[in-house]
Amino acid sequence: MTADGRPEPDRALYTISVAAELAGISPQALRLYEQRGLLSPARTGGGTRLYSDNDIARLRRISSLAEEGVNLAGISRILDLQEENTRLRSSGAEEG
């Protein structure tokens, strides 16, 4: 738990139906995004997908880009570049 009593953003808590509802997409779209490598949910020992708050935020970003007309390959590239940019900024802040 965080200091304000909320779960850690990386903690996998939500089943596919709950995650889809929170992200405003269908479970089928969520599965497609996973098949295309746009996100990788945690899995229980029995194979059930579990999604974190960070996964929900990523799903919302994917959905927003898709609504803007970006195809899945483009979404993948945009997300990769955003992650690289974040990583570079954090490593630059550590050096400076």
Side-chain angles (χ1 to χ4, degrees):
M1 290 276 182
T2 60
D4 63 0
R6 299 194 59 183
E8 294 293 329
D10 284 332
R11 185 169 176 211
L13 300 169
Y14 310 108
T15 61
I16 191 168
S17 59
V18 173
E21 184 175 337
L22 289 171
I25 62 173
S26 69
Q28 294 82 5
L30 204 158
R31 286 186 194 98
L32 174 65
Y33 298 155
E34 183 184 347
Q35 287 173 346
R36 297 294 175 94
L38 297 176
L39 79 156
S40 298
R43 297 235 182 208
T44 65
T48 301
R49 295 170 177 92
L50 290 177
Y51 299 86
S52 68
D53 286 329
N54 285 343
D55 291 330
I56 303 302
R58 186 174 178 93
L59 285 166
R60 288 179 178 147
R61 180 69 176 133
I62 292 167
S63 180
S64 173
L65 290 167
E67 287 174 6
E68 292 176 20
V70 180
N71 66 26
L72 294 181
I75 291 171
S76 178
R77 186 68 180 133
I78 289 168
L79 294 175
D80 288 346
L81 289 170
Q82 287 176 334
E83 288 173 6
E84 182 178 349
N85 189 26
T86 300
R87 194 171 49 254
L88 290 171
R89 285 181 184 213
S90 67
S91 68
E94 292 171 3
E95 293 173 6

